[in-house]
Amino acid sequence: MRSLKTLALQAKERLKGSKGINTYTDNAIVEFKKIEKDEDIAFMEKVERLQDLEDVQNPISYLIDYNYYNSLEEHSKEKYFLDLLDKYRFYKQKLEEQKNKIV
């Protein structure tokens, strides 16, 4: 199990924009997918389309990249899923703020 200090140092390095994409844990190497701007724009467009739809019970199922998700190990799947949730919330809130400014 990783210590709190190790996790904090890794988070600090990510915030500084370190070039290392891989993180080493006690038992494995966790690889992080680098997201390009085009993917980010496409993701935002998907979130926007989801807001227009009614009766969407599980929006994450529409947003998840199943090919990438299925290629990950179990511990990486959890991180990918939680990052996807955070990203979805961020863009949903951003779109709602834009909609409120227009009205």
Side-chain angles (χ1 to χ4, degrees):
M1 184 154 195
R2 296 181 289 178
S3 70
L4 184 59
K5 183 177 180 180
T6 305
L7 291 171
L9 288 173
Q10 289 173 349
K12 185 176 179 181
E13 288 300 313
R14 284 193 305 271
L15 288 173
K16 283 201 262 181
S18 81
K19 295 186 173 134
I21 294 175
N22 297 337
T23 300
Y24 299 93
T25 64
D26 292 341
N27 301 323
I29 299 173
V30 179
E31 293 183 34
F32 296 99
K33 181 179 179 184
K34 200 161 188 134
I35 298 176
E36 302 296 325
K37 278 190 174 182
D38 293 335
E39 289 180 44
D40 227 16
I41 292 169
F43 188 86
M44 188 170 174
E45 289 171 354
K46 284 182 182 180
V47 172
E48 196 169 4
R49 277 182 270 157
L50 281 174
Q51 283 190 325
D52 295 337
L53 297 175
E54 294 179 17
D55 297 331
V56 177
Q57 296 193 8
N58 186 4
I60 300 303
S61 66
Y62 292 101
L63 300 171
I64 196 165
D65 179 359
Y66 284 103
N67 291 330
Y68 178 70
Y69 180 79
N70 291 331
S71 71
L72 296 172
E73 294 182 15
E74 287 303 314
H75 59 279
S76 298
K77 285 181 180 181
E78 184 177 328
K79 181 181 181 346
Y80 174 76
F81 184 78
L82 293 174
D83 288 345
L84 190 68
L85 281 174
D86 288 340
K87 194 172 170 182
Y88 171 69
R89 283 189 205 124
F90 173 77
Y91 282 117
K92 184 177 175 188
Q93 182 179 8
K94 190 174 180 178
L95 288 169
E96 287 173 359
E97 288 173 1
Q98 286 177 355
K99 206 180 268 188
N100 289 337
K101 284 182 182 178
I102 293 172
V103 174

